[in-house]
């Protein structure tokens, strides 16, 4: 079904910095059309310095019904929500927002999308060990969802040690010794998950030393452009099973659209 575009079209935005790499506008707009909605998702390139002004301004456009949030705005957008899910409140971050009578309602579903993606590729988290690289917006959500899915030992690494330790401390309150700070050495883990942007730009360093990967490890990555990140390409060369960022997004799509349309008047 082709999307409509006229004066009655409801508008949703995806906000990020950078934004050119996102695949959401076409896919989400198509999903709206398949549900019979006259709605469109448009990209908005907004720097952190301009985010507050952008959100204040877009709230005044009464035909704007929701926002998808990408790097690096997931923590900052949380502060603009007047209503959040328990999951978003625990993480202090959102990746999807919808308009309410009182402002914005927010949720954080990145982790659910990642776990759904690795399960679709045949990896079951329960009772396994994992190394997660990245404690930013996506990383915090993935960490929570992995632990909720039954990961028995989760090591988290981030170049920002304070950010890593804050996340580990918060998760330990709920999951105890199942989570700890770790180093970026992937040896010995059942799952290696990259939740950093490393690999989006040519020449980026790899998030882990790939020579330390084991063939039996499953490697997942959040990057959607390139379609197969350098980490995924290297892991496949070793013989690892993998999930690309597109696989995570495929599982995120319905979750995001469900949330955005839940408050439809």
């Amino acid at each position: 079904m082709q999307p409509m575009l006229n004066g009655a079209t409801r508008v949703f935005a995806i906000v990020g910095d950078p934004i050119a790499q996102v695949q959401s506008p076409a896919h989400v707009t198509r999903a709206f059309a398949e549900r019979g909605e006259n709605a469109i998702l448009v990209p908005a390139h907004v720097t952190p310095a301009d985010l507050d002004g952008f959100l204040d301004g877009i709230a005044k456009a009464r035909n704007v019904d929701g926002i998808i949030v990408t790097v690096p705005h997931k923590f900052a957008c949380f502060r603009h929500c007047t209503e959040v899910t328990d999951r978003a409140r625990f993480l202090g971050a959102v990746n999807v927002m919808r308009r309410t009578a009182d402002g914005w309602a927010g949720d954080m579903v990145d982790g659910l999308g990642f776990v759904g993606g690795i399960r679709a590729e045949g990896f079951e988290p329960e009772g396994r060990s994992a190394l997660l690289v990245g404690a930013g917006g996506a990383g915090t959500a993935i960490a929570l969802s992995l632990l909720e899915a039954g990961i028995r030992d989760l090591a988290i690494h981030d170049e920002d040690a304070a950010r890593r330790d804050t996340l580990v401390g918060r998760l330990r309150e709920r999951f105890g010794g199942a989570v700890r700070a770790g180093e970026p050495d992937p040896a010995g883990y059942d799952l290696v998950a990259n939740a950093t942007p490393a690999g989006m730009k040519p020449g980026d360093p790899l998030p882990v030393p790939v020579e330390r990967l084991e063939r039996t490890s499953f490697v997942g990555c959040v990057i959607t452009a390139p379609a197969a990140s350098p980490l995924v390409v290297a892991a496949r060369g070793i013989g690892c099973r993998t999930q690309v960022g597109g696989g995570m997004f495929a599982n995120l799509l319905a979750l995001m659209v469900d949330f955005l349309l839940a408050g439809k008047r």
Side-chain angles (χ1 to χ4, degrees):
M1 179 180 296
Q2 292 296 318
M4 295 180 285
L5 186 59
N6 52 42
T9 300
R10 307 307 297 177
V11 178
F12 296 78
I14 177 167
V15 58
D17 179 26
I19 200 66
Q21 80 284 357
V22 299
Q23 301 179 17
S24 303
H27 293 289
V28 173
T29 299
R30 186 178 304 113
F32 287 149
E34 289 171 351
R35 298 190 188 200
E37 300 291 334
N38 180 7
I40 188 171
L41 179 72
V42 297
H45 186 182
V46 181
T47 68
D50 292 331
L51 181 66
D52 290 346
F54 171 80
L55 291 174
D56 290 343
I58 203 170
K60 293 177 173 61
R62 304 310 298 179
N63 63 335
V64 175
D65 287 348
I67 301 168
I68 294 175
V69 186
T70 189
V71 175
H73 299 315
K74 296 176 184 181
F75 294 109
C77 281
F78 174 85
R79 299 194 298 271
H80 285 264
C81 293
T82 55
E83 173 188 337
V84 293
T85 62
D86 290 342
R87 174 173 49 241
R89 182 176 296 105
F90 179 78
L91 295 169
V94 296
N95 76 321
V96 64
M97 302 160 64
R98 68 167 179 262
R99 186 189 291 275
T100 70
D102 301 317
W104 298 107
D107 196 3
M108 181 52 146
V109 295
D110 277 344
L112 300 179
F114 184 88
V115 170
I118 62 176
R119 281 180 165 154
E121 295 294 340
F123 183 87
E124 288 297 332
E126 187 173 2
R128 313 294 285 277
S129 63
L131 169 65
L132 171 65
V133 182
T140 60
I142 290 169
L144 177 62
S145 290
L146 285 173
L147 290 163
E148 289 180 336
I151 284 285
R152 63 169 174 79
D153 175 34
L154 176 63
I156 300 174
H157 173 75
D158 194 281
E159 292 298 320
D160 185 334
R163 182 165 71 171
R164 174 204 64 198
D165 292 345
T166 297
L167 176 59
V168 169
R170 187 183 312 133
L171 291 169
R172 276 184 172 168
E173 294 175 4
R174 183 173 295 186
F175 299 98
V179 59
R180 57 188 171 86
E183 298 299 323
D185 182 352
Y189 292 98
D190 298 314
L191 170 66
V192 177
N194 175 46
T196 78
M200 286 177 57
K201 296 182 293 186
D204 277 351
L206 292 171
V208 299
V210 294
E211 68 275 9
R212 296 283 292 167
L213 278 172
E214 299 177 5
R215 186 177 181 277
T216 54
S217 294
F218 186 99
V219 176
C221 190
V222 302
I223 292 172
T224 57
S229 70
L231 173 62
V232 166
V233 171
R236 288 174 175 173
I238 294 168
C240 300
R241 292 181 297 152
T242 63
Q243 175 199 248
V244 297
M248 174 180 167
F249 177 77
N251 283 272
L252 270 177
L253 180 59
L255 295 169
M256 293 189 298
V257 173
D258 285 346
F259 184 85
L260 291 171
L261 296 180
K264 182 175 177 290
R265 292 181 290 275

